[in-house]
Amino acid sequence: GGLAARSCGRGFLPPKKTDKYTGRLENNRAGNPGSMTRNPKVISFFDDRTFTITHIVMCPETGATAVIDPVLDYDAAAGRTYRESAEVVVNQIGQDDLTVEWVLETHVHADHLTAAPFVKDSLGGRLGIGGKVGLVQSAFKKIFNAEDSFATDGSQFDHLFADGEEFKIGNLTARVMHTPGHTPACVTYVIGDAAFVGDTLFAPDYGTARCDFPGGDAHQLYNSIQKILALPDDTRIFLCHDYMPGGRDVIMHTTVAAQKAGNVHLKDCKDADAFAAMRNGRDAKLNMPALIIPSVQVNMRGGALPPAESNGVSYLKTPVNLL
């Protein structure tokens, strides 16, 4: 379509046509009239190449919006980025005449490249992430032997959120919970009756996040999950990924009550030690995510490519026999 054609004009070529499906789910709980200023309308999009879910979070009264975890498409064989997934989101925001105030990352993703700079350049807003992101940057600067000038203080982002910090999206109040474990910098954004949990929790039939990346900790993840499950039972939990076990339909959100009742990694783990033993045992058998090498190198920079070399080309490094 026209959006894809424009991305080609900027020098980004999509791969050959695939059976890619970008699903959309609108989720709005109006409640009583007073709740409209507290609870967001959420439009969610599913990218089946990376199993990632991007959320548009809107204040119903003002149209002020945050975009959470947008995806930049990446053709690994060709080493090319393109913007099909992100353009669907950007186009929806333009169609609905919304105003983007924030582009939010729940963490430094290891399974997809972020399209945050493209969304910000297209629609405005400030780029935010958890304030502990420097810990992730420091670890991966060493792994990828990044250039000396690469800063590990989070300065690539517009705002670093502290645990418990509050901010506004129109008339909505958002609160940040530091929820480490998958990475040391993961955060959950609690906006009214909705919680955007990143990779901390998946759908109940898929469980919880891995903890074997640098700085990950299964005991911390267990404690972070308990913080999320302490929210009211009817809190909507919006996921960052769904892997559709058994070929079921995609699930983009669940609830605190559903997680308490049926999360397959929690129901038989009565404390942090039991959970950590389960989680660490599972993690030891997992392969690395397919896109971890390009994803982390880009995402730790707030979505920027590494600096171009003398020939004007950016390169992504592959550490051999390290990960």
Side-chain angles (χ1 to χ4, degrees), residues 199-219:
D199 285 10
T200 305
L201 285 166
F202 300 125
D205 62 352
Y206 201 80
T208 60
R210 66 193 298 165
C211 300
D212 57 336
F213 297 152
D217 185 287
H219 283 87

Side-chain angles (χ1 to χ4, degrees), residues 220-233:
Q220 285 188 342
L221 180 63
Y222 181 84
N223 292 331
S224 295
I225 290 170
Q226 300 315 303
K227 290 169 64 176
I228 295 170
L229 297 186
L231 296 169
D233 278 355

Side-chain angles (χ1 to χ4, degrees), residues 102-123:
W102 290 96
V103 183
L104 301 174
E105 300 284 5
T106 53
H107 62 293
V108 174
H109 305 276
D111 38 30
H112 69 273
L113 281 67
T114 178
F118 172 64
V119 174
K120 179 181 169 181
D121 291 346
S122 300
L123 301 170

Side-chain angles (χ1 to χ4, degrees), residues 131-141 152-154 178 183-185 214-215:
K132 300 292 186 180
V133 67
L135 297 175
V136 177
Q137 292 175 320
S138 294
F140 281 102
K141 179 175 184 176
T152 58
D153 58 0
H178 183 216
T183 83

Side-chain angles (χ1 to χ4, degrees), residues 40-321:
K41 177 179 179 180
V42 182
I43 305 175
S44 300
F45 299 85
F46 180 70
D47 171 46
D48 75 347
R49 292 191 184 106
T50 62
F51 305 98
T52 304
I53 306 166
T54 298
H55 305 288
I56 298 173
V57 185
M58 180 179 63
C59 171
E61 290 186 333
T62 67
T65 298
V67 178
I68 300 180
D69 293 333
V71 175
L72 180 68
D73 301 302
Y74 183 70
D75 181 355
R80 285 189 176 272
T81 61
Y82 59 103
R83 300 163 174 157
E84 180 182 358
S85 296
E87 284 174 331
V88 171
V89 176
V90 167
N91 188 51
Q92 184 66 52
I93 291 170
Q95 178 181 313
D96 292 346
D97 196 26
L98 305 177
T99 301
V100 174
E101 295 186 345
W102 290 96
V103 183
L104 301 174
E105 300 284 5
T106 53
H107 62 293
V108 174
H109 305 276
D111 38 30
H112 69 273
L113 281 67
T114 178
F118 172 64
V119 174
K120 179 181 169 181
D121 291 346
S122 300
L123 301 170
R126 302 176 69 195
L127 175 56
I129 198 167
K132 300 292 186 180
V133 67
L135 297 175
V136 177
Q137 292 175 320
S138 294
F140 281 102
K141 179 175 184 176
K142 295 175 183 176
I143 288 173
F144 291 112
N145 197 28
E147 67 278 6
D148 291 343
S149 61
F150 173 64
T152 58
D153 58 0
S155 56
Q156 300 85 350
F157 300 84
D158 296 320
H159 189 81
L160 303 181
F161 289 107
D163 185 30
E165 183 175 351
E166 294 187 349
F167 63 100
K168 288 288 190 178
I169 305 168
N171 292 337
L172 298 171
T173 298
R175 177 169 58 89
V176 179
M177 290 198 306
H178 183 216
T179 47
H182 175 58
T183 83
C186 291
V187 294
T188 291
Y189 299 103
V190 181
I191 307 170
D193 69 341
F196 299 84
V197 299
D199 285 10
T200 305
L201 285 166
F202 300 125
D205 62 352
Y206 201 80
T208 60
R210 66 193 298 165
C211 300
D212 57 336
F213 297 152
D217 185 287
H219 283 87
Q220 285 188 342
L221 180 63
Y222 181 84
N223 292 331
S224 295
I225 290 170
Q226 300 315 303
K227 290 169 64 176
I228 295 170
L229 297 186
L231 296 169
D233 278 355
D234 63 349
T235 300
R236 296 176 288 166
I237 292 180
F238 287 89
L239 308 174
C240 185
H241 296 285
D242 187 49
Y243 298 99
M244 299 172 287
R248 63 154 169 75
D249 291 340
V250 64
I251 293 174
M252 301 202 214
H253 80 281
T254 177
T255 65
V256 166
Q259 292 285 355
K260 287 179 178 179
N263 188 289
V264 295
H265 289 172
L266 299 176
K267 61 182 181 180
D268 295 325
C269 296
K270 303 305 182 185
D271 57 29
D273 288 340
F275 176 81
M278 178 280 301
R279 186 69 263 174
N280 292 336
R282 290 180 64 87
D283 292 348
K285 302 173 185 177
L286 295 177
N287 294 324
M288 285 288 102
L291 294 181
I292 185 172
I293 287 174
S295 294
V296 174
Q297 289 181 80
V298 171
N299 297 340
M300 71 182 187
R301 302 171 185 273
L305 295 175
E309 297 193 9
S310 58
N311 60 355
V313 178
S314 293
Y315 290 87
L316 297 170
K317 297 179 179 179
T318 300
V320 178
N321 298 327

